[in-house]
Amino acid sequence: MATLTEAPPPLSPTAPTKKPPRKRGRLTPYWLLLPGLLWLVVFFALPMIYQASTSVQTGSLEEGYKVTWHFATYWNALSAYWPQFLRSVLYAGAATILCLALGYPLAYLIAFRAGRWRNLIMILVIAPFFTSFLIRTLAWKTILADGGPVVGALNTLHVLDVTSWLGWTAGDRVLATPLAVVCGLTYNFLPFMILPLYSSLERIDGRLHEAAGDLYARPATVFRKVTFPLSMPGVVSGTLLTFIPASGDYVNAELLGSTDTRMIGNVIQTQFLRVLDYPTAAALSFILMAAILLMVTFYIRRSGTEDLV
Amino acid sequence: MPLVNRLKRHFVVIAGLLTLGYLLLPNVVVTVFSFNKPKGRFNYEWQQFSTDAWQDPCGVSGLCGSLSLSLQIAVWATLGATLLGTMIAFALVRYRFRARGAVNSLIFLPMAMPEVVMAASLLTLFLNLGAQLGFWTILIAHIMFCLSFVVTAVKARVMSMDPRLEQAAQDLYAGPAQTFLRVTLPIAAPGIAAGALLAFALSFDDFIITNFNAGSTVTFPMFVWGSAQRGTPVQINVIGTAMFLVAVLLVLTSMAVGNRRNKQKA
């Protein structure tokens, strides 16, 4: 890489005078980085260390905590709360798949079919970012209300019979069931799927589609063999951007779910802010972090886009 | 079967518009219910049309106070994160130095971490230091998690910049400061603006990290959270609707300005 830029020979004997700025430039990047990195080290990395130490402490709120390398906290936390862990992965996974299925057509529409409507649709996708997501999540309570139009329609179509049998809903209600939580998660993280999908679809050269068509590929084949593979970077970053925050979320499970739909975020929140059992809470959040990092690394390896990180 | 064929041909458009409907349905509900006159404490059931809440949006105690607190925090967090993030982005794109990979991963990690993990770890730090939870701890947290997003946005823009423009400016005897202010900064501005806008939206809307590190301070999202348990006043829907309209207007005007500039260039 360096050899390419070194190619042009100095045009004049005054070339060496360019040296001083370069020398000054050697320290410049460090000065530019210093404040921001200091912030991240003190308020992101250091807290992780504090949390690691908290997770192996024992004691009580009154007498204070001491580091006793009590690793059993991890084991106890995991054996007590594995259902919530499992639920988090299942709900976040379901929401991610739904986001992909719902978001892909919209991203495709904006990238290739929207024409002069493109900007308007883009605004409508982004604008909800600026409206409080809590207010919008609460609106789902109205939409999914018992006896409301959505529940009524699903009931008439006998969808609720099937979902109840699967355990996704309970009787003829949707609120306070897993379906409501997954619906809320899907809704909340959908823009995080659409935007990366759109930016990778937008980069695809439309002539590739024409070429595939000229070679007698049917639209479905064009999609399967050309469009989808080329949009893989968007698919990978979109799924990560939805799965990671969804797995740690506790707002949807709290507002739209019940005690039977608690996710690990709810447990961490309760342990930290209400029970005040700091070691258990710290251990749980460390397990969550490790699980996410493991899954993400594995996923990125499998999907073959390591340059993403 | 012409209808089936037509549906097939327009499958993407139909499916995409349905998704858009799903995305906007809550906004429609929020808007409609801002004109409701609810019975009791909760505003989940339609009762009667009324513009009371629109005439008196601050009529609920604590609501507008929390709103102005959230705005203040968002403004300071945006300024802080944009300044620090832009500096990091320039360093990463423009210079080769040791530990560049390590810096890149440190920037990436906060985005690849569930918010609740960062929130909890930050709380353990503040508890250990005995810090008073409130405005300052919220601000510190917000700058921290907005920083990475700003870096990413600015980096994308600076990376696509042609370095020859700066060389040209220097060939025309512009000093380093002049080159930066007159050439580099204007070209990088859209990236910086995008990063700042993102930081503002993230900070203003953040609940999870704020909930852990706010103590008894109440930001707007925390006010909404509390009201979900105690009873939601209609005024919350008014604010939600107004925010949506302001956002659409802001984006529309910024696009109009951008279009005019492009036309002037052409």
Side-chain angles (χ1 to χ4, degrees):
Chain A
M1 221 161 70
T3 49
L4 275 178
T5 50
E6 279 165 17
L11 292 172
S12 63
T14 54
T17 52
K18 280 203 167 171
K19 252 192 175 166
R22 209 184 263 173
K23 202 175 185 182
R24 195 180 51 100
R26 213 175 287 164
L27 274 177
T28 318
Y30 298 105
W31 285 117
L32 284 172
L33 288 171
L34 189 70
L37 282 192
L38 211 58
W39 203 280
L40 278 184
V41 167
V42 176
F43 299 117
F44 176 76
L46 190 65
M48 293 292 165
I49 297 168
Y50 268 101
Q51 190 164 29
S53 115
T54 305
S55 70
V56 289
Q57 288 174 352
T58 45
S60 66
L61 207 57
E62 293 80 32
E63 294 161 19
Y65 289 98
K66 260 192 205 121
V67 177
T68 50
W69 302 107
H70 191 257
F71 282 106
T73 310
Y74 277 86
W75 177 245
N76 295 339
L78 201 56
S79 52
Y81 296 110
W82 68 266
Q84 282 85 345
F85 267 112
L86 188 66
R87 217 175 273 145
S88 299
V89 174
L90 288 178
Y91 289 1
T96 307
I97 293 167
L98 279 170
C99 277
L100 186 60
L102 292 174
Y104 209 106
L106 185 51
Y108 191 97
L109 171 72
I110 305 171
F112 297 121
R113 295 281 195 88
R116 62 203 176 92
W117 299 104
R118 180 193 261 198
N119 284 340
L120 180 71
I121 302 181
M122 252 340 227
I123 294 173
L124 293 177
V125 171
I126 296 170
F129 267 117
F130 292 84
T131 321
S132 175
F133 87 101
L134 277 169
I135 300 181
R136 287 179 286 125
T137 309
L138 282 174
W140 280 103
K141 272 193 148 163
T142 307
I143 299 167
L144 300 176
D146 301 345
V150 174
V151 171
L154 292 177
N155 233 340
T156 321
L157 296 169
H158 294 283
V159 176
L160 289 185
D161 297 341
V162 182
T163 50
S164 294
W165 180 74
L166 287 167
W168 298 351
T169 55
D172 51 2
R173 69 180 320 199
V174 175
L175 269 186
T177 66
L179 185 70
V181 179
V182 171
C183 172
L185 286 171
T186 309
Y187 166 75
N188 268 320
F189 298 108
L190 195 50
F192 295 90
M193 178 67 88
I194 293 172
L195 295 176
L197 277 179
Y198 163 73
S199 73
S200 73
L201 281 171
E202 192 215 11
R203 260 176 246 152
I204 298 176
D205 190 337
R207 285 172 299 182
L208 289 171
H209 293 158
E210 287 165 29
D214 288 346
L215 295 168
Y216 298 105
R218 292 173 31 183
T221 320
V222 176
F223 178 76
R224 197 161 44 85
K225 297 236 163 149
V226 180
T227 316
F228 191 75
L230 285 174
S231 68
M232 264 323 265
V235 174
V236 172
S237 54
T239 42
L240 290 177
L241 280 175
T242 37
F243 182 79
I244 296 171
S247 61
D249 182 82
Y250 59 83
V251 175
N252 286 283
E254 173 89 24
L255 294 182
L256 302 173
S258 67
T259 43
D260 296 333
T261 60
R262 283 163 60 87
M263 294 166 70
I264 198 61
N266 301 75
V267 180
I268 296 175
Q269 199 247 156
T270 315
Q271 293 290 325
F272 244 118
L273 300 180
R274 278 189 228 151
V275 185
L276 304 179
D277 181 354
Y278 299 131
T280 304
L284 283 172
S285 104
F286 246 74
I287 299 171
L288 174 64
M289 184 177 88
I292 296 272
L293 286 181
L294 260 174
M295 277 189 279
V296 168
T297 317
F298 179 74
Y299 176 69
I300 291 177
R301 286 266 159 82
R302 278 298 300 268
S303 53
T305 42
E306 275 171 75
D307 50 310
L308 200 85
V309 186
Chain B
M1 294 248 270
L3 182 69
V4 174
N5 276 337
R6 205 181 285 173
L7 280 179
K8 251 182 166 172
R9 198 174 332 138
H10 295 292
F11 168 76
V12 172
V13 177
I14 296 166
L17 289 178
L18 283 176
T19 303
L20 195 63
Y22 177 68
L23 212 49
L24 292 173
L25 182 62
N27 282 96
V28 174
V29 171
V30 169
T31 309
V32 169
F33 276 76
S34 73
F35 293 104
N36 191 17
K37 190 173 193 166
K39 265 187 216 159
R41 292 182 301 143
F42 290 95
N43 182 23
Y44 297 135
E45 244 172 87
W46 181 258
Q47 301 288 344
Q48 199 193 331
F49 180 85
S50 143
T51 53
D52 291 356
W54 279 92
Q55 285 165 14
D56 186 20
C58 284
V60 185
S61 78
L63 186 137
C64 282
S66 71
L67 200 60
S68 98
L69 178 69
S70 274
L71 278 172
Q72 283 171 42
I73 290 174
V75 167
W76 289 115
T78 304
L79 285 173
T82 308
L83 182 68
L84 300 180
T86 305
M87 285 161 73
I88 295 181
F90 268 97
L92 283 174
V93 178
R94 282 306 170 77
Y95 298 91
R96 310 269 149 226
F97 52 89
R98 254 185 250 175
R100 206 160 151 273
V103 172
N104 262 322
S105 354
L106 184 64
I107 304 288
F108 175 76
L109 269 176
M111 293 190 289
M113 191 124 334
E115 267 190 273
V116 72
V117 175
M118 282 192 281
S121 66
L122 207 51
L123 179 60
T124 54
L125 174 83
F126 289 142
L127 287 175
N128 273 296
L129 299 180
Q132 174 80 40
L133 296 179
F135 182 88
W136 292 105
T137 51
I138 300 174
L139 186 59
I140 285 171
H142 283 203
I143 292 178
M144 184 270 288
F145 76 77
C146 290
L147 196 52
S148 306
F149 289 93
V150 175
V151 174
T152 317
V154 179
K155 234 171 91 176
R157 177 76 189 182
V158 179
M159 258 199 285
S160 65
M161 238 167 99
D162 191 343
R164 282 174 301 184
L165 288 171
E166 286 164 317
Q167 286 165 14
Q170 285 181 340
D171 286 348
L172 295 167
Y173 297 104
Q178 223 177 347
T179 312
F180 181 77
L181 287 176
R182 307 283 293 266
V183 180
T184 316
L185 208 56
I187 303 178
I192 298 173
L197 212 61
L198 193 60
F200 186 87
L202 287 171
S203 162
F204 189 74
D205 208 16
D206 179 74
F207 171 73
I208 294 183
I209 290 182
T210 314
N211 188 29
F212 273 77
N213 295 293
S216 54
T217 310
V218 179
T219 63
F220 182 65
M222 290 186 63
F223 183 88
V224 178
W225 174 260
S227 77
Q229 268 107 36
R230 284 182 274 106
T232 41
V234 187
Q235 276 81 355
I236 282 182
N237 289 45
V238 173
I239 308 281
T241 312
M243 272 153 75
F244 184 74
L245 293 178
V246 168
V248 172
L249 273 177
L250 271 181
V251 185
L252 278 176
T253 40
S254 78
M255 271 188 342
V257 171
N259 277 344
R260 213 170 35 192
R261 268 204 200 138
N262 286 342
K263 268 182 201 155
Q264 275 172 354
K265 260 184 215 161

